[in-house]
Every structure is written in C-alpha cells, then in structure tokens.
Amino acid sequence: MAPYTVENFERHMETAQIHRESAELEFWEREVHVAKAICEGRGFPGASRCKLQVMIELAEIERRNGMYSAATKTLSEAFDLADGTQRISILGELAVVYRHDDRIVEAHEQFQEQYNLAKQLALEAEMEMCRAVGNLGMTTYQRYEQQGDKTDKALLVLSIKQLEERRERARSLQERLCGDPAQAKTVRKLEMWEAIGISRLTLPYAAIGDTKKAVEFGELTWRLTQTSNDPTVRGISRFFYGNALLNDGQRARALELFNFTGPRDTCTSAAALCKELSAEHRGYLERLVAEGVDLDTYDEQGYSALDHAVYGGDAKAEAGIVRGFGLKGLALTDIQQRQDAAKFRKHFRDIFQKHFRPVLSKGRTDCVVSLQSKYAELFGSDEDKRALFDEMHLVRYSDFLSHGKLPTMNDSLSDSLVHSIPTQQQRSRREGRSDYVVFFSYRWIGGEIDPPLTGPDDGANTQYRRMVDALERFLELHPTVDSDDLSIWLDCACIDQVDKVPGRRQRGIAALPFYVAQCNAMISLVDDQYYERAWCAVEVLIMQTLRESYKQHVWYEHRLHRPKSDRTAGLLEHGSDMKLKPTTLKLSFERDRLNVEFLERQNLLLGKAGAER
C-alpha cells in the first residue's frame, strides 16, 4: 500500500505543478489539498518531508489569493520543519507575503536575511540569491516611493543596481545549466526570473527620468514572456511595457497593450494584477482605472478583474474597479449586477470546493445527508450566503401523488430542509433510516398547446404523469427505498417562481447546483428537445460528475416508448456517459451564458482530482 500512496502523492503534486505553470489556481489548489490528505494518512512514509512540500505550496496559493495572514501562519509553521536551503526559500516567500501586504520594511529585512544566508552557502543557494536580490530591488524602489523627498535618487540608483544583479545572476545560471536536460525546468524558471527582473527595471528608470530606457526594458520583458504558459505573467508583462510607454507619452500604444486580448491572452493587464492583489498591484490598478482601460473582459478562468478582487477580499481594489465602471458611464444598476455576480461566484466556489467537495471525498454512504446538513448549517450561520442562495425545499412523495398535478410553491406542499434536518437526523439515529431525495430535471412545456399556457406543464398534465410513472418504476428498481421516506425536488414547487418574497426566485435558481448535490438521485424526463437546453445539460453534467467521482448518486433517464395515445409511460434507464457541453446549447436568456460557463468549470473542480479537463 505504501508505495502506491507515495506514487499517488507524487502524481498529484506533479499535476499541481502543471496547473501552477498555467496559472490554473483552482485546479492547482485542488491537487495540493488531495496530496495533503494522502501524506497525512496513517503510516505514510516520509510524511514530514511531504507535509513541508505541501505547506510551501499552500502558502503560495494563500498568498496569491490575498490571504496574507493565513500564508504567514503556514510559512512560519513550515520554517520550523525545514532546514538548510529550504529555510532560505521559505524566508524569501515570507518576505514576498510581507511585500504584498505593504509591510515593506519587514519585507526588506527578510529579503536581506535571505540574501545573506544564501551567500554563505555559495553554489547551493545561488537560485535563492537571485530571487532575493531581485526582491530587494523592488523593496528598495518601494521605499523610495514611500519617502517624502523625491529629489533624493539614491534609493533608485540602488534599486537599479539590485535588479540588474537579479538579471545577471538569472542569465548566468541559465548559461551554466542550459546544456543539462535534467535542468530544463529550472532553466525555464530562470528565464522567467530574468524577465521579471527586467520588467521591474522599468519602474526605477522611469522614476529617475530615463523613460526611453524604461520603454526598452518594457519591450524586452514583453518579448521574453511570450513563450510563458502563464497568462498572468503575460498580462503583467504587458502592464509594465504599457506603463513605460505611458510614462514616455505613448498613451495610444499603452492602452492597446493594457486591453490586449487574443487566443492565448484573454487575461487583460487589469485581470492579471487582480489575480495577485497587493498594495503594489492595487496602485498599478488605480492607474489603469484612471486611463479608462477595459474592466469587463473575462480571463481564461472565466473571471473578470472584479471577480478576482472580490474573491481576494480586497475592498479597495473592488472600490477602484467600481469607480472605473462609473467613469465609463455605467448605470448604478449595471454596476450592482456586476458586484452581485462577483459575490455569487465567490460564495458558490466557497461552498462547492471548501465545503461540499471534502464531504464527498470521504466516500461515506451517508454523504448526501451530510451535504444536506452542511448546506443547512451554512445557510443558518452565514448571512452573506443566505443573501445569495435560498434554502432547499422538498415535496413529500405522498403529497405529490395526492395533489394530482405539478404543484407550485403557493400550494404549500414543500417543506424547508433547513428546518426538517434535525428531525431527519434523530429518526436516522433511532431507526437507521433517512429520507431519500429524487431531483427531477425536465423542460417546462406550458405554452406548447392551444390556447397557450405559461407554466411547467401542459393542459394534459403530461410532465406530472411522466414523473409519477418514473417514480413508480424507480421504486421497483430500488426496493430498499421506502416510499414513506421518499421526497422530491422539482423547480416549480421548490423555487419561488412568482417571487412572492422579492429576490427569492433568483436565490433559488442560483442554488440549483447545490440542490442537485443534495439529492440521492436525478431523473431526467428526456424528450426530443431536452438535451438542446443549456440548463438541463448543466443539471445532468453535475449529476454525472457526482455519480462518476463519488459513487453515491444515481441518475436515470425517463424515455417515452408507448404509442402516442399514451404520452406519459416510458422506460427508466440508467443515464448514459454522453459528453455534454452546456455552453454551446440554447438559453432563454443569453445573459445566462457566463453563469453556465462558470458552472461548467466549477463542475470540473467538483470532480475527483485528475479527472479530464
């Protein structure tokens, strides 16, 4: 078992690095957390070494997400476990956290200590010396920016000297290692370090008054980063080049670079800066906002600059972007919609990845009940989430049968799961039974008959009758499910469709993927148009991922097979493994497409690490 777990750990850490190099932060974080769980298992060989490796990765992820306190804590714990060159590396990362958190004096002291320690170890730590002196150059420049007397250029001269040393050290190490195939990865890293050092040189040269030199270095770093797989690196390099051009009076060309997008570059300079927000990057963002750059473009991860600012919890950056929208003449309602969408993505990602996925990964047979409990707990305790998502409602099977048609929320058949969970848990402990929940995925067909109706079903109650038929067949296939324990989720009864409570309908729609996960089974009422609808495909895609990754959910398709005289009886078969792409399908409202794209990506993250992307 041990060799397998070590191999498994290494595989996930290698996959994490692939995602890291492409700036796929969410996939990178997922792989590292899986690796962490593996090395924390009982009897794992070399656990301390692997745990240290994981902690260093997690600290960088925390730093990139703007979680500076968490990153500082993680690095401090890692420092106690490390020795030798590892401690030097950790000191450097801790100093970077300080610099991003605008703790410039502390950052400068840490970089100096890192540089001095690395210097003592000579060749063993040349990489760390290269990194340290470059960061020293930046903190020296930032100290100049913070000083009152801008006529004193001594710090600028020192900054240029330190950044030039970074450049030369990176280039020298590349020349020494480039002939060794085993060092190819290190050489690529050094190429990026050289490019980063050159990009930073644009700042002190512009401040000292040599804008032509700054433009020269800006263009050079832009060219050097064109081969990088990291769109964030390319976006930030375009910022430094554009910023140098702006300082040189070439505004039109600068704006072209700031707003540039292409097949490989959907990440604008503004979005790139917001991915790794710090006091430094916030200052750069303010300049972009003042110049009227594009703030609405979505990057390769499906997020805008505002999304990244909101996720990082940077209120100042968010306020700056909102001000930018106002300068562009956007209406207050449009701005509010953008902010609401960003908050939705933040909290959706938080629930799906930080709360649901760990429950699912444990592989327990009661995971659906645990998901229901977790959602109810979050709904009851987190006001921000409660403002974005609605609680889950269910209809008892017996009530559904006796109603004789599809119910609505106004029929008062649905009960809040938040309130019923304690009772369910008590009964489960007492009797060893828990409720079994079926989610119905179907098209609304009201309006397809004459005279036209607007609603989920037609005048003949076709969808209702199909659901009754499907549930009867489902119970035949699952004799262990007691009909008294059966509940149903269907949108017409479990979402406030008439918005009787203002905003509740949208909160219910926003929570729909969470509802899917909290159901044991899904039944799709398939017809000739079902798989043409994007929202139907999203529901199925999530259930497919849950079924395939964790083996605790089931999915059936109900297909009609009787003569046309009976449009409701059909076959109930296990859902297929068809590959769905909801973003390519039909939507009633085109504005929903960005949300569908977001959910499609989140669905990939919900699945087990290593799944096909």
Side-chain angles (χ1 to χ4, degrees):
M1 181 65 179
Y4 166 75
T5 54
V6 170
E7 181 182 346
N8 209 16
F9 173 85
E10 291 173 348
R11 179 172 63 83
H12 285 292
M13 290 300 286
E14 287 170 4
T15 305
Q17 293 311 303
I18 293 171
H19 293 308
R20 182 185 189 275
E21 290 174 7
S22 300
E24 296 175 318
L25 191 62
E26 293 168 304
F27 287 102
W28 173 22
E29 182 176 4
R30 180 185 71 172
E31 295 286 341
V32 173
H33 275 295
V34 173
K36 180 175 182 287
I38 292 171
C39 72
E40 288 177 345
R42 178 182 290 183
F44 186 85
S48 296
R49 174 184 58 81
C50 294
K51 182 180 178 182
L52 177 60
Q53 186 181 351
V54 164
M55 290 174 75
I56 292 171
E57 291 285 319
L58 286 177
E60 184 172 352
I61 291 168
E62 289 165 345
R63 188 251 295 169
R64 292 197 181 196
N65 278 327
M67 302 163 63
Y68 302 130
S69 296
T72 299
K73 183 175 183 292
T74 302
L75 288 168
S76 297
E77 293 174 358
F79 187 84
D80 293 337
L81 296 174
D83 55 24
T85 55
Q86 282 182 321
R87 283 197 162 192
I88 297 173
S89 177
I90 292 169
L91 276 176
E93 181 60 27
L94 185 59
V96 170
V97 172
Y98 287 159
R99 187 166 73 81
H100 281 219
D101 202 20
D102 207 24
R103 298 161 65 178
I104 304 305
V105 173
E106 293 169 276
H108 191 82
E109 291 171 354
Q110 291 280 6
F111 285 133
Q112 190 66 63
E113 183 178 354
Q114 180 196 23
Y115 181 77
N116 292 340
L117 286 174
K119 198 170 184 179
Q120 294 171 17
L121 294 174
L123 289 175
E124 281 183 70
E126 282 193 67
M127 291 280 290
E128 295 304 328
M129 289 174 69
C130 177
R131 187 185 188 204
V133 75
N135 282 311
L136 271 172
M138 270 309 297
T139 55
T140 301
Y141 170 75
Q142 289 173 301
R143 285 165 58 206
Y144 164 79
E145 286 290 303
Q146 291 180 352
Q147 74 180 15
D149 183 10
K150 292 294 191 290
T151 61
D152 183 356
K153 307 293 186 182
L155 287 176
L156 289 178
V157 173
L158 178 57
S159 173
I160 289 171
K161 179 182 177 182
Q162 290 166 329
L163 289 167
E164 286 282 13
E165 182 180 341
R166 157 80 167 244
R167 178 189 181 190
E168 292 303 321
R169 283 185 177 277
R171 185 183 296 167
S172 175
L173 285 167
Q174 286 175 60
E175 291 172 355
R176 191 186 313 174
L177 300 175
C178 67
D180 184 355
Q183 298 291 342
K185 186 176 180 180
T186 301
V187 170
R188 288 198 302 273
K189 179 187 288 187
L190 288 164
E191 288 172 349
M192 286 303 103
W193 282 9
E194 179 187 1
I196 291 169
I198 294 169
S199 72
R200 302 294 184 178
L201 276 165
T202 63
L203 299 173
Y205 270 115
I208 214 165
D210 193 346
T211 57
K212 299 300 181 188
K213 192 73 171 176
V215 169
E216 178 186 327
F217 280 126
E219 183 176 8
L220 180 57
T221 191
W222 175 64
R223 295 189 184 283
L224 286 173
T225 56
Q226 291 306 295
T227 58
S228 170
N229 289 327
D230 188 337
T232 311
V233 168
R234 298 196 299 271
I236 290 177
S237 74
R238 289 196 303 277
F239 165 77
F240 281 111
Y241 185 18
N243 188 57
L245 288 165
L246 203 58
N247 289 326
D248 194 48
Q250 302 183 53
R251 184 173 184 274
R253 174 60 177 147
L255 288 176
E256 285 180 16
L257 288 165
F258 293 150
N259 293 327
F260 178 82
T261 57
R264 292 183 72 231
D265 288 294
T266 56
C267 181
T268 62
S269 292
L273 292 172
C274 288
K275 282 185 183 181
E276 298 182 34
L277 275 167
S278 61
E280 174 196 355
H281 281 193
R282 197 184 302 121
Y284 300 155
L285 181 64
E286 287 174 2
R287 186 164 202 194
L288 294 181
V289 167
E291 294 298 331
V293 300
D294 176 16
L295 297 169
D296 257 344
T297 299
Y298 286 78
D299 65 14
E300 74 291 339
Q301 297 178 31
Y303 299 127
S304 66
L306 180 61
D307 290 334
H308 287 298
V310 169
Y311 186 73
D314 196 315
K316 291 182 179 179
E318 180 182 351
I321 293 169
V322 167
R323 187 175 69 255
F325 287 142
L327 292 173
K328 286 180 171 291
L330 263 70
L332 289 176
T333 52
D334 290 336
I335 295 173
Q336 188 62 54
Q337 284 177 355
R338 284 165 170 76
Q339 288 182 284
D340 290 345
K343 290 174 184 175
F344 160 74
R345 292 186 176 95
K346 171 187 172 71
H347 288 282
F348 188 99
R349 192 162 74 169
D350 180 68
I351 294 173
F352 239 33
Q353 310 311 330
K354 293 184 180 179
H355 296 286
F356 274 25
R357 196 170 182 281
V359 170
L360 289 162
S361 296
K362 291 178 181 178
R364 294 171 56 120
T365 55
D366 63 349
C367 75
V368 172
V369 174
S370 298
L371 290 174
Q372 293 168 355
S373 298
K374 175 59 68 175
Y375 187 77
E377 174 191 332
L378 291 170
F379 189 85
S381 63
D382 193 322
E383 188 176 341
D384 290 335
K385 290 178 174 58
R386 195 161 56 246
L388 293 168
F389 308 108
D390 197 14
E391 58 192 314
M392 186 174 182
H393 290 80
L394 298 174
V395 176
R396 304 296 303 177
Y397 175 54
S398 56
D399 292 336
F400 181 76
L401 289 179
S402 62
H403 193 64
K405 62 181 180 179
L406 289 188
T408 69
M409 187 167 275
N410 286 340
D411 293 318
S412 301
L413 292 187
S414 60
D415 292 323
S416 166
L417 196 57
V418 171
H419 301 134
S420 64
I421 276 180
T423 303
Q424 283 190 41
Q425 291 176 331
Q426 290 169 8
R427 190 186 71 177
S428 179
R429 286 192 293 268
R430 185 174 63 250
E431 303 175 10
R433 294 163 50 192
S434 59
D435 282 6
Y436 195 99
V437 185
V438 173
F439 182 107
F440 269 110
S441 177
Y442 65 107
R443 286 193 316 111
W444 282 36
I445 61 173
E448 294 185 352
I449 62 171
D450 188 27
L453 298 174
T454 55
D457 213 346
D458 58 20
N461 294 324
T462 299
Q463 298 294 56
Y464 171 78
R465 292 163 62 198
R466 285 191 67 181
M467 290 180 190
V468 171
D469 182 74
L471 288 169
E472 290 174 352
R473 296 175 189 278
F474 179 86
L475 289 170
E476 290 173 2
L477 291 171
H478 294 268
T480 58
V481 176
D482 192 322
S483 62
D484 291 337
D485 299 330
L486 186 61
S487 291
I488 304 161
W489 190 96
L490 65 164
D491 58 0
C492 60
C494 300
I495 292 179
D496 185 359
Q497 300 292 343
V498 297
D499 227 14
K500 194 172 183 180
V501 178
R504 192 178 187 186
R505 179 176 182 274
Q506 185 54 45
R507 293 196 296 274
I509 293 171
L512 193 144
F514 303 140
Y515 300 154
V516 172
Q518 294 175 80
C519 294
N520 304 81
M522 173 186 283
I523 297 177
S524 297
L525 302 187
V526 178
D527 57 26
D528 56 357
Q529 297 179 50
Y530 178 82
Y531 284 113
E532 295 177 4
R533 307 303 303 179
W535 282 114
C536 292
V538 166
E539 294 166 0
V540 169
L541 193 63
I542 293 170
M543 185 54 79
Q544 281 181 321
T545 296
L546 291 168
R547 180 186 68 169
E548 293 164 11
S549 292
Y550 306 108
K551 316 300 183 188
Q552 300 301 320
H553 296 73
V554 293
W555 169 46
Y556 288 93
E557 294 173 302
H558 184 265
R559 295 179 179 274
L560 298 175
H561 74 292
R562 300 276 176 87
K564 289 185 178 181
S565 58
D566 186 348
R567 296 176 55 206
T568 60
L571 291 172
L572 193 67
E573 300 174 328
H574 282 287
S576 66
D577 295 325
M578 68 179 70
K579 301 298 181 183
L580 297 170
K581 191 71 175 173
T583 49
T584 65
L585 302 176
K586 295 178 183 177
L587 284 162
S588 298
F589 303 100
E590 189 57 33
R591 63 176 179 268
D592 287 342
R593 197 162 300 280
L594 278 175
N595 284 335
V596 170
E597 290 175 357
F598 171 78
L599 293 174
E600 196 171 306
R601 181 179 178 84
Q602 291 301 306
N603 175 70
L604 287 172
L605 287 160
L606 181 65
K608 281 194 173 179
E612 182 182 354
R613 291 189 293 139

